[in-house]
Amino acid sequence: CPHPSLGGDLWNLVCSDYWKIPLQHICFMMGWILGYIFLGTLCDWLGRRRGFLLSISLSSVLGVAVCLSNSAVVFLLLRLSQGAMLAGVFMSSYIARLELCDPPHRLMAAMVSGFFGLFAELLLPGFAALCRYWPILQAVTTLPLLLLLSYWCCASVFPESPRWLLATDQIPQVKRSLQEFSIRNGVCLQDEMYPGETLLSDSTYGDDCQPRYYTFLELRRTRVIWKNCLILSFTLFIGTGIQYCFTRNLHSFSTNLYFSYFVRVITGALGCIFICLSVNHFGRRGMLLLSAIITGLSSLLLLALTQYLQGGLVLVLSVVGLLFSQALAMLSVFFASEVMPTVVRGGCLGLVLAAGCIGMAASSLMELQNNGGYFLHHVVFASFAVLSILCIMLLPESKRKQLPDSLKDGESQRRPPLFLSRPARDNLPLLCTRPPSSEYNPDNYSRLVSATRKMLTKDNLPYKISEPADSPLLSDSEAQGQESETQRATVSQVS
């Protein structure tokens, strides 16, 4: 029901005014797209900590302003701006968490944040039922952002990434950051073998070493990084956009508003568990490929056989497709953050996440048109899912590898073979030739001498090496004279 003190029918979102809900969601997603692109580049210029603090401050202010808005146009503009700032909060924290972890723990650190996000989504309907009115709900969801402003005073809670400082040649800041880390971890840098004065000494980095910053526009001069960014943007776009094709089938099984919502959240949690159990063992690229195959297969089966299948099979295919499409989306984000270089990780990951928001906005666009063109939407995304299977094979593997820091490191990543080749794979028995056995062993001097003596005494040589027993050895001058006479005789015979 509309709240009379907040504008009467202005906030009526049922029946003929239902179109305001997908319109608000599209504006919100547009804000996330702009935030990912611009604030991602800002994280590469200002750093992860400054980008996070700037985003969290502005998103808190905008969240309070949204609670007090009483105009539809102002509300949409504020939601767009708040979405842009929330995108900066998510991306800066995601990148900083990844860069502070060693290779074996990167996956778990990313998935723990995913579990926290899904847990918040599970609590959101309960808060909505308790608050009843959206301004109160907006205020409740803004309160945690206000608490995070305390990070301004506690640098140790959200430190700057030393990897980014070192990649951009900010040597004094790297020294201070590493010293703070060593003090908090109880590691003494004044050891005799590893004195603290040698930590990033000025002999390695000159006094005139100036910081150098990059933007995602540097991708114009790259080939491998741009290819990886494009492929992972494509897979994330598919993973987020095709979810609408699966959730729409859930509405026919229950008219409850929260049924499809809770199914989506539960399948997202199962997708996180699937990634945690499989990706570190089988690799990022293999699991991304498997998720794309199952997502495309489920979509094609629903597209072709929905009218011939029983309701239970349609439900199973929808749940399986929703599970693996969310796994495809989450793994695409994690994979992109690992293969992108540190100097442009914010901008590149922002482009990838912006593509995912476009896929989410496509589902809201379908709802805005009252599901007009849903069949074409399903066909396009099912075809894209099949096409992504071929694209994923071109990606490198980042399992148990260090994060690339420079553009050169990112360009050096190559696609590994899909199947490990065995050394004796092409050794065919009928075509195998044995090398001729050598009559001497060059590693043994005595065998070398005996084998050489045996070769010189053979009778089947094309020439016979012999020496007259009576005649003395010729001197060098006489040998040269006889050789010249022999050549003159040979020339006269030819002429």
Side-chain angles (χ1 to χ4, degrees):
C1 297
H3 195 261
S5 63
L6 294 176
D9 293 337
L10 180 63
W11 303 106
N12 190 4
L13 303 177
V14 296
C15 300
S16 59
D17 293 326
Y18 176 77
W19 60 273
K20 295 179 182 179
I21 299 177
L23 178 62
Q24 178 272 144
H25 190 259
I26 291 174
C27 292
F28 192 52
M29 286 295 102
M30 287 295 297
W32 281 78
I33 293 171
L34 297 176
Y36 278 139
I37 295 175
F38 293 106
L39 292 179
T41 304
L42 195 65
C43 286
D44 292 332
W45 275 80
L46 299 179
R48 290 33 170 150
R49 173 178 167 79
R50 292 178 182 176
F52 175 81
L53 294 177
L54 177 63
S55 302
I56 203 70
S57 302
L58 294 179
S59 60
S60 302
V61 174
L62 291 170
V64 175
V66 170
C67 300
L68 304 176
S69 62
N70 56 1
S71 172
V73 177
V74 174
F75 174 78
L76 293 178
L77 292 177
L78 289 176
R79 286 289 284 173
L80 188 146
S81 303
Q82 188 190 20
M85 295 301 107
L86 290 175
V89 173
F90 172 79
M91 186 168 49
S92 58
S93 59
Y94 192 95
I95 295 174
R97 183 170 53 249
L98 189 83
E99 292 179 347
L100 290 175
C101 291
D102 54 342
H105 299 91
R106 285 200 302 255
L107 177 65
M108 296 306 300
M111 291 301 106
V112 165
S113 65
F115 281 117
F116 272 98
L118 292 170
F119 181 70
E121 290 190 39
L122 283 176
L123 295 179
L124 186 60
F127 284 116
L130 292 175
C131 297
R132 296 188 60 187
Y133 301 112
W134 73 263
I136 301 177
L137 179 63
Q138 179 69 25
V140 170
T141 56
T142 306
L143 181 60
L145 299 176
L146 296 174
L147 297 177
L148 293 179
L149 291 176
S150 60
Y151 286 3
W152 279 100
C153 304
C154 301
S156 61
V157 179
F158 194 97
E160 185 56 82
S161 170
R163 181 181 293 273
W164 175 77
L165 293 173
L166 185 60
T168 53
D169 296 334
Q170 303 183 55
I171 307 306
Q173 292 84 347
V174 178
K175 289 183 180 180
R176 290 195 298 267
S177 179
L178 293 180
Q179 289 174 356
E180 292 175 359
F181 273 100
S182 63
I183 293 173
R184 289 198 300 268
N185 293 331
V187 179
C188 181
L189 291 179
Q190 300 298 330
D191 195 349
E192 294 180 358
M193 294 181 62
Y194 304 99
E197 290 79 5
T198 61
L199 182 65
L200 299 176
S201 60
D202 294 334
S203 60
T204 305
Y205 300 90
D207 297 333
D208 57 346
C209 185
Q210 297 295 327
R212 184 179 180 184
Y213 305 103
Y214 300 82
T215 64
F216 66 90
L217 297 178
E218 301 290 337
L219 297 181
R220 297 176 299 174
R221 291 179 285 180
T222 64
R223 185 175 63 88
V224 177
I225 302 174
W226 174 248
K227 177 200 67 177
N228 296 337
C229 183
L230 189 62
I231 293 174
L232 291 169
S233 300
F234 185 54
T235 56
L236 182 58
F237 170 72
I238 294 168
T240 55
I242 205 172
Q243 292 179 19
Y244 178 72
C245 303
F246 301 121
T247 55
R248 187 176 180 272
N249 292 327
L250 301 177
H251 297 309
S252 59
F253 294 94
S254 176
T255 57
N256 191 350
L257 176 63
Y258 296 106
F259 175 73
S260 60
Y261 180 85
F262 282 112
V263 169
R264 183 182 61 82
V265 175
I266 292 173
T267 53
L270 294 177
C272 282
I273 296 174
F274 166 74
I275 291 175
C276 292
L277 296 178
S278 61
V279 170
N280 267 344
H281 184 68
F282 297 102
R284 280 68 162 143
R285 191 179 65 151
M287 289 300 100
L288 190 69
L289 182 62
L290 178 63
S291 301
I293 290 174
I294 297 179
T295 300
L297 185 61
S298 302
S299 180
L300 290 175
L301 290 176
L302 288 174
L303 185 64
L305 304 176
T306 298
Q307 56 183 348
Y308 304 106
L309 296 176
Q310 298 179 358
L313 293 177
V314 174
L315 179 62
V316 169
L317 287 175
S318 300
V319 171
V320 170
L322 189 60
L323 189 155
F324 282 94
S325 62
Q326 294 191 74
L328 178 67
M330 289 184 288
L331 191 53
S332 297
V333 176
F334 177 69
F335 203 174
S337 61
E338 281 194 326
V339 299
M340 296 301 152
T342 302
V343 292
V344 291
R345 182 167 289 123
C348 294
L349 186 60
L351 294 177
V352 175
L353 290 169
C357 289
I358 294 175
M360 297 174 66
S363 61
S364 299
L365 186 62
M366 289 293 102
E367 295 180 357
L368 185 62
Q369 297 177 351
N370 198 15
N371 292 325
Y374 165 74
F375 181 77
L376 180 61
H377 176 90
H378 199 166
V379 170
V380 169
F381 276 93
S383 304
F384 284 169
V386 176
L387 181 60
S388 67
I389 297 173
L390 302 176
C391 299
I392 292 172
M393 296 182 183
L394 302 176
L395 293 173
E397 181 55 62
S398 60
K399 182 180 71 172
R400 298 190 183 94
K401 294 182 179 179
Q402 295 291 336
L403 295 177
D405 290 327
S406 62
L407 294 176
K408 183 179 179 181
D409 296 338
E411 285 291 292
S412 64
Q413 299 179 106
R414 292 294 182 265
R415 176 184 63 87
L418 187 61
F419 301 102
L420 296 178
S421 58
R422 296 185 297 270
R425 187 174 181 177
D426 297 330
N427 294 339
L428 301 179
L430 296 179
L431 300 180
C432 182
T433 58
R434 295 183 178 179
S437 59
S438 177
E439 296 191 18
Y440 63 93
N441 186 3
D443 297 331
N444 193 325
Y445 182 74
S446 61
R447 292 188 179 183
L448 176 61
V449 173
S450 61
T452 307
R453 186 178 300 167
K454 186 186 297 184
M455 293 174 60
L456 293 176
T457 57
K458 279 186 176 182
D459 295 333
N460 55 356
L461 292 174
Y463 54 87
K464 182 70 174 178
I465 301 178
S466 62
E467 181 180 341
D470 298 334
S471 62
L473 294 176
L474 299 176
S475 62
D476 294 338
S477 59
E478 293 176 347
Q480 292 177 0
Q482 288 186 2
E483 185 178 357
S484 61
E485 291 179 1
T486 305
Q487 290 179 357
R488 285 196 296 271
T490 305
V491 171
S492 63
Q493 289 179 1
V494 173
S495 61

